[in-house]
Amino acid sequence: MEIDNMLNQQGAWLRGIGKESDIVISSRIRLARNIAGFPFVNRATEKECLGIIESFENAIKRIIQPETAFYLNLQKLSTVDRYYLLERQLISQDFVESTKPRAVLIDRNEDFSIMVNEEDHLRLQAMTSGLDLEKVWACINLLDDKIANELSYAFDEKLGYLTACPTNTGTGIRVSVMLHLPGLVETREIERVFRSLQKINLAVRGTFGEGSKALGDFYQISNQITLGRSEEELIAQIAEVIPCILKYERKSRSVLMERANDSLMDRCFRAMGILQTARTISAEESMNLLSSVRLGINMGIINDISCSQANDLLLHLQPAHLQKLAKKELNKDAENHFRADYLRQKINLNVQS
Amino acid sequence: MEIDNMLNQQGAWLRGIGKESDIVISSRIRLARNIAGFPFVNRATEKECLGIIESFENAIKRIIQPETAFYLNLQKLSTVDRYYLLERQLISQDFVESTKPRAVLIDRNEDFSIMVNEEDHLRLQAMTSGLDLEKVWACINLLDDKIANELSYAFDEKLGYLTACPTNTGTGIRVSVMLHLPGLVETREIERVFRSLQKINLAVRGTFGEGSKALGDFYQISNQITLGRSEEELIAQIAEVIPCILKYERKSRSVLMERANDSLMDRCFRAMGILQTARTISAEESMNLLSSVRLGINMGIINDISCSQANDLLLHLQPAHLQKLAKKELNKDAENHFRADYLRQKINLNVQS
């Protein structure tokens, strides 16, 4: 099955390569689009939802070759498979839980995906590892143009793209950059940075874990405003602010290195020690420890594994991924046990190789 | 200096050998004695205190050869050296902190020690690793008889040995057994066991750490009553109750092995992982982790180091021991750093050998 072929690849956003990849995990842009002539998804009947999927399928056939991307009917996927796609950031939490007829088109390299019947008829997203909003914008913009040639988007001359939620109206764009900020967290400077970002209407949220509780010091920064500015302006705003955050994070790391080298080394080495010896470990704990390991790698403290290998673990230690690897459903105890086994096997392989 | 020669030996009570040494760390008996013709220490002038020391020194010369034991004037010892003797359980906390003229005679094998001018004029104690109260009683009883031949003890036909505190009057004996009870702590049965012991007038307290907070699941069980029963009866009471506690502890360990083998293994291996990787670690944390390691060794989970090696670490990771090893005074940060370095060096040596 096509979905299983992805299991051993890292996903575009976690390759650990690209510009500033010691801090910037990934760059991502999504566009919200609706097809003219259909009601918004929350008002659409089941039949209308199926009509939306059919229209999209017909259009996409003429644009994208089956060698490039594959198509999944969400209603036919198991719960584990839906969460597996969520963990790979190919679909959203709402999309996992919805009961509407819905589908997703997934690029085989995971460079882009298109959700059909999420909050809007279409949610196009493109992503890459490291900091490269230009590349991501080029990809998503081309895809958007191609689809616009085949389908009639709901568009208003004055308002721009019409969307189910007014917060997306206008450009329908959300630009987001995922950052690993253990330095700012450790020096407690992060709240100050976040307040500054909120003042210029940028949103900050944790990448892993529920709600605002950020696991493993991974944060996503994105625009909140979509109306009244061009896509390029909105991208430029984020592109301008990221170097400042990188500067602050690097400064925090230097401070840690100078002021508390002992406790920094302690944190990094202990994290490796626990990951290599635990017999049972939760997703939360492993995520937090991997954050310390990733920091250690980027500060030259840990040499046993690479940043890309640490990213790989971040992906595969998530619950649905572990169940795919185990090829069976796991209860929490079994999952935590399997996670520890997988970790020891992977880290010891890495340390030896 | 004689005190330094002990640094690389384990002390009689921590050799990790003897009967039941998977649970019983050590057996110890102390006797409180006072010399007739002198006031109790808390009422004695400095001159009288010196007189007590002189009387004892003169007596001991005729009993014990210098090859067997050595003599230390506490007022001439540094703070670190006094705490070093406390950590080896050769002297008491009160004896460390007192400002009176006082001395201690220490057997070179650390099988016995005699404090002069602690609460009583003489506090004789003998100890051994594992469970062997008979051996310890034979040793201390012989020593007591020899001293009684040379010195006149304060003794009342009706009350027995007179002591500074009435709780010691009569036999002046305190019998104590140090136990490692991680099973009972983990299964939360320990409170129940302690309540039963208190009902039969046995006292329970932590071995390491201040007050009642037991570090590393190490507990000391001792008699509270000294009057109205013979020494043999008091020893027999403890000797009878210990096998019951051992039975409960072993049962708890079996329960852990069956019910929660996963989390038991996890606890033991993580402890090894942290001890092998930490760059800074407190006495408290290392004590608690060594407790898990010791449990793992005794349950066949950990094979890298022996019980005796773990006991050795318990002794040497204490603050004053580390300062003796470092050959300099260490502030808390330096001490925690040095402890982690020492641990990694020792454990890695053990793992390799």
Side-chain angles (χ1 to χ4, degrees), chain A residues 262 266 270 279 285 337, chain B residues 262 266 270 279 285 337:
Chain A
D262 226 36
D266 189 56
R270 277 177 186 240
R279 257 55 185 177
E285 187 186 3
H337 184 104
Chain B
D262 227 35
D266 188 56
R270 277 177 186 240
R279 256 59 183 172
E285 188 185 5
H337 184 104

Side-chain angles (χ1 to χ4, degrees), chain A residues 236-287:
Chain A
Q237 190 201 11
I238 300 248
E240 269 166 36
V241 89
I242 296 295
C244 299
I245 303 176
L246 299 186
K247 203 179 87 183
Y248 288 135
E249 170 64 18
R250 294 218 168 87
K251 200 177 156 194
S252 291
R253 293 185 184 186
S254 304
V255 167
L256 286 180
M257 198 67 153
E258 278 165 37
R259 270 209 304 231
N261 192 17
D262 226 36
S263 59
L264 178 66
M265 302 240 301
D266 189 56
R267 172 183 167 182
C268 298
F269 284 115
R270 277 177 186 240
M272 273 299 274
I274 296 170
L275 291 171
Q276 283 176 296
T277 51
R279 257 55 185 177
T280 173
I281 193 166
S282 68
E284 290 70 23
E285 187 186 3
S286 58
M287 214 64 92

Side-chain angles (χ1 to χ4, degrees), chain A residues 3-32:
Chain A
I3 193 171
D4 295 326
N5 295 339
M6 299 189 295
L7 188 56
N8 294 318
Q9 71 188 32
Q10 281 186 313
W13 59 283
L14 265 178
R15 294 205 181 109
I17 52 172
K19 275 181 278 184
E20 319 287 5
S21 61
D22 56 333
I23 298 174
V24 181
I25 305 288
S26 62
S27 306
R28 184 210 315 236
I29 298 177
R30 74 113 168 98
L31 299 174

Side-chain angles (χ1 to χ4, degrees), chain B residues 83 132 147 233 273:
Chain B
Y83 277 98
D132 200 344
I147 296 169
E233 280 171 341

Side-chain angles (χ1 to χ4, degrees), chain A residues 22-245:
Chain A
D22 56 333
I23 298 174
V24 181
I25 305 288
S26 62
S27 306
R28 184 210 315 236
I29 298 177
R30 74 113 168 98
L31 299 174
R33 297 290 184 258
N34 288 277
I35 306 171
F38 287 102
F40 287 133
V41 177
N42 61 347
R43 298 204 158 218
T45 62
E46 175 149 345
K47 204 175 156 196
E48 286 165 329
C49 283
L50 291 170
I52 295 163
I53 294 178
E54 200 188 338
S55 298
F56 176 73
E57 271 190 77
N58 288 333
I60 217 74
K61 264 185 219 158
R62 294 186 292 273
I63 306 168
I64 294 173
Q65 301 303 311
E67 305 90 72
T68 306
F70 61 94
Y71 212 73
L72 295 171
N73 178 339
L74 265 278
Q75 286 177 307
K76 287 190 184 161
L77 289 186
S78 68
T79 305
V80 167
D81 278 342
R82 295 202 306 277
Y83 276 98
Y84 165 76
L85 295 177
L86 173 65
E87 287 171 359
R88 299 188 80 84
Q89 308 213 347
L90 294 165
I91 66 175
S92 66
Q93 182 80 40
D94 286 346
F95 203 59
V96 168
E97 289 161 6
S98 160
T99 52
K100 298 259 179 182
R102 62 210 191 282
V104 63
L105 181 84
I106 296 172
D107 169 50
R108 289 182 195 277
N109 291 325
E110 298 177 66
D111 288 334
F112 68 84
S113 69
I114 302 173
M115 287 180 277
V116 186
N117 292 337
E118 211 254 20
E119 188 179 84
D120 295 295
H121 298 162
L122 304 181
R123 285 273 175 108
L124 293 66
Q125 66 161 0
M127 49 209 169
T128 192
S129 75
L131 182 61
D132 199 344
L133 289 169
E134 284 168 27
K135 174 183 156 190
V136 171
W137 173 238
C139 168
I140 200 82
N141 199 23
L142 181 68
L143 199 61
D144 186 41
D145 287 347
K146 282 182 181 172
I147 295 169
N149 284 337
E150 300 292 335
L151 284 173
S152 178
Y153 281 152
F155 186 83
D156 178 272
E157 280 300 326
K158 201 172 157 206
L159 289 172
Y161 294 101
L162 302 177
T163 54
C165 177
T167 57
N168 290 313
T169 299
T171 55
I173 198 171
R174 176 136 302 150
V175 184
S176 56
V177 177
M178 194 201 298
L179 301 166
H180 184 218
L181 303 174
L184 286 167
V185 171
E186 186 76 25
T187 56
R188 291 159 201 235
E189 296 280 326
I190 198 135
E191 284 302 329
R192 210 168 49 84
V193 172
F194 287 176
R195 279 198 300 275
S196 314
L197 292 174
Q198 276 149 9
K199 275 185 199 154
I200 54 168
N201 288 308
L202 295 181
V204 181
R205 64 177 186 86
T207 302
F208 299 106
E210 301 293 305
S212 63
K213 199 179 137 241
L215 286 181
D217 316 319
F218 295 97
Y219 294 90
Q220 214 152 272
I221 290 168
S222 58
N223 64 306
Q224 285 181 304
I225 290 171
T226 57
L227 191 69
R229 298 206 210 166
S230 72
E231 288 85 346
E232 286 78 4
E233 281 171 341
L234 291 165
I235 294 169
Q237 190 201 11
I238 300 248
E240 269 166 36
V241 89
I242 296 295
C244 299
I245 303 176

Side-chain angles (χ1 to χ4, degrees), chain B residues 29-90:
Chain B
I29 298 178
R30 74 112 167 97
L31 298 175
R33 297 291 183 257
N34 288 277
I35 306 171
F38 286 101
F40 287 133
V41 177
N42 62 348
R43 299 207 158 212
T45 61
E46 177 149 339
K47 204 177 154 196
E48 287 166 328
C49 285
L50 291 170
I52 295 163
I53 294 178
E54 201 188 335
S55 299
F56 176 72
E57 271 189 77
N58 288 333
I60 216 73
K61 264 185 219 158
R62 296 188 289 271
I63 306 169
I64 294 173
Q65 302 302 314
E67 305 89 74
T68 306
F70 60 95
Y71 211 73
L72 295 171
N73 178 341
L74 265 278
Q75 286 178 308
K76 287 191 184 160
L77 290 186
S78 68
T79 305
V80 166
D81 279 341
R82 295 201 309 274
Y83 277 98
Y84 165 76
L85 295 177
L86 172 65
E87 288 172 359
R88 299 187 82 83
Q89 310 213 347
L90 294 166

Side-chain angles (χ1 to χ4, degrees), chain B residues 152-253:
Chain B
S152 177
Y153 281 153
F155 186 82
D156 177 274
E157 280 299 327
K158 200 170 157 205
L159 290 170
Y161 293 101
L162 301 176
T163 54
C165 177
T167 57
N168 290 313
T169 298
T171 54
I173 198 171
R174 177 136 303 150
V175 184
S176 56
V177 177
M178 195 200 298
L179 301 166
H180 184 217
L181 302 174
L184 285 167
V185 171
E186 185 76 26
T187 57
R188 290 156 200 237
E189 298 281 326
I190 197 132
E191 284 302 329
R192 210 167 49 83
V193 172
F194 287 176
R195 277 197 302 275
S196 314
L197 292 174
Q198 276 149 8
K199 274 184 200 157
I200 54 169
N201 289 308
L202 296 180
V204 181
R205 63 177 187 87
T207 302
F208 299 107
E210 300 293 303
S212 63
K213 203 179 136 240
L215 287 181
D217 315 319
F218 295 96
Y219 294 91
Q220 215 152 272
I221 290 168
S222 59
N223 63 305
Q224 284 181 304
I225 289 172
T226 56
L227 191 69
R229 296 204 210 169
S230 72
E231 289 86 346
E232 285 79 5
E233 280 171 341
L234 291 165
I235 294 169
Q237 189 201 12
I238 301 248
E240 268 166 37
V241 88
I242 296 295
C244 300
I245 304 176
L246 299 186
K247 203 179 88 184
Y248 287 135
E249 171 63 19
R250 293 219 169 86
K251 199 176 156 194
S252 291
R253 293 185 184 187

